Amino acid sequence: MIEEIVVRYKPSYITIDPRTKIFLMVTVTSIMATGSSHGAMFYLRHLLMVLPFIALFISKKGKAAIRFLILYLIIFALNFVVLPYTTGFLSFLVLATVGIYTNILPGFIMGYYLISTTSVSEFIAAMEKLKVSYKIIIPFSVVFRFFPTVKEEYISIQNAMKIKGVTIRKSPIEMIEYRLVPLLISVTKIGEELSASALTRGLGSPIKRTNICKIGLKKIDYFLLLLASLCWVVFIFF
């Protein structure tokens, strides 16, 4: 468990403040979700498509960046390989799938980047500097630990099923049952335990907490904030 946490939060090539990451995620998700690609928006959308992959590479998450890039290329390939040979409802279905995923995936990648490169302590320290209410900080701090914990739980269940010989080749129905049902039960318990853990650590206390995390805006943060702000200017006026 300790080794997994150390690997998860290993130092990046460039350290970015959590507040910058959140602003970048909001920018990418909001602008890409509009679906507009006329004039200046065409270049803006391509910039925002590339930004999440650059963020993953500078955070030493090259494997995740390559996996997402392959998925993105497959989705784009559907436009040229499948779409010309389909008609009617099937053509609409392929076109809608490609359009939805190309708009949503960059925001999803930025969310993955934010959660996988930011510890709960860093997130709380950043939110406290922004004077955000603890009514918002506590639920989001639970979310930050929720997805990695669910992933670890799923890997444990998967390994247990492999030992018992329950695989998709031998028994696909049992594989779904024996993995999905325990995972759903674990998810319910994980949510309750993380909420209790957050309150136990004093997040709901009215007394101001101290934090050993050193966060602060650096040159790279100012550059990225300026870049994201310019993206909003282009989005609003063009």
Side-chain angles (χ1 to χ4, degrees):
M1 179 70 71
I2 295 175
E3 292 178 355
E4 291 178 358
I5 295 173
V6 171
V7 171
R8 182 172 168 233
Y9 295 118
K10 60 184 178 181
S12 304
Y13 293 112
I14 301 175
T15 305
I16 300 175
D17 190 274
R19 292 166 289 181
T20 306
K21 297 177 187 177
I22 294 172
F23 188 52
L24 289 174
M25 186 188 70
V26 172
T27 301
V28 173
T29 304
S30 302
I31 297 177
M32 289 298 298
T34 60
S36 177
S37 58
H38 300 288
M41 285 297 298
F42 175 80
Y43 301 100
L44 178 59
R45 285 174 60 82
H46 279 74
L47 170 64
L48 296 179
M49 285 181 186
V50 175
L51 187 60
F53 298 104
I54 296 176
L56 287 177
F57 275 114
I58 66 175
S59 300
K60 295 185 178 181
K61 292 189 173 294
K63 292 182 179 179
I66 292 172
R67 287 198 295 266
F68 281 123
L69 182 60
I70 293 173
L71 176 61
Y72 217 96
L73 292 176
I74 291 173
I75 294 172
F76 266 113
L78 291 176
N79 264 331
F80 306 100
V81 178
V82 179
L83 193 59
Y85 302 98
T86 57
T87 57
F89 177 75
L90 185 59
S91 176
F92 168 77
L93 186 63
V94 173
L95 188 62
T97 303
V98 172
I100 292 172
Y101 274 95
T102 51
N103 291 336
I104 292 177
L105 192 57
F108 175 80
I109 298 173
M110 285 302 299
Y112 170 81
Y113 163 71
L114 172 64
I115 293 177
S116 62
T117 60
T118 308
S119 66
V120 179
S121 298
E122 290 172 344
F123 173 76
I124 293 174
M127 292 297 99
E128 286 177 344
K129 284 197 172 185
L130 291 175
K131 308 298 182 182
V132 178
S133 172
Y134 276 102
K135 294 179 180 178
I136 298 176
I137 295 177
I138 294 175
F140 276 95
S141 64
V142 172
V143 169
F144 262 76
R145 294 186 60 192
F146 179 78
F147 291 106
T149 307
V150 170
K151 180 182 178 181
E152 293 172 5
E153 189 69 21
Y154 177 76
I155 293 174
S156 300
I157 295 172
Q158 187 179 28
N159 293 335
M161 292 302 103
K162 285 182 179 178
I163 294 174
K164 294 181 179 180
V166 180
T167 61
I168 191 170
R169 292 182 180 179
K170 294 182 179 179
S171 51
I173 297 178
E174 288 185 356
M175 191 273 297
I176 295 174
E177 179 184 354
Y178 291 159
R179 289 188 184 183
L180 186 59
V181 174
L183 182 63
L184 291 175
I185 296 173
S186 298
V187 164
T188 305
K189 293 182 178 179
I190 288 170
E192 295 175 354
E193 291 173 357
L194 289 179
S195 299
S197 174
L199 295 174
T200 303
R201 293 184 178 187
L203 290 182
S205 174
I207 302 174
K208 186 177 180 180
R209 301 171 67 252
T210 57
N211 203 311
I212 62 173
C213 292
K214 294 181 180 180
I215 63 171
L217 298 177
K218 299 178 287 295
K219 292 182 180 179
I220 182 64
D221 293 292
Y222 288 115
F223 170 76
L224 292 173
L225 290 173
L226 178 61
L227 178 63
S229 300
L230 290 175
C231 289
W232 278 108
V233 171
V234 173
F235 173 72
I236 292 171
F237 290 99
F238 295 95

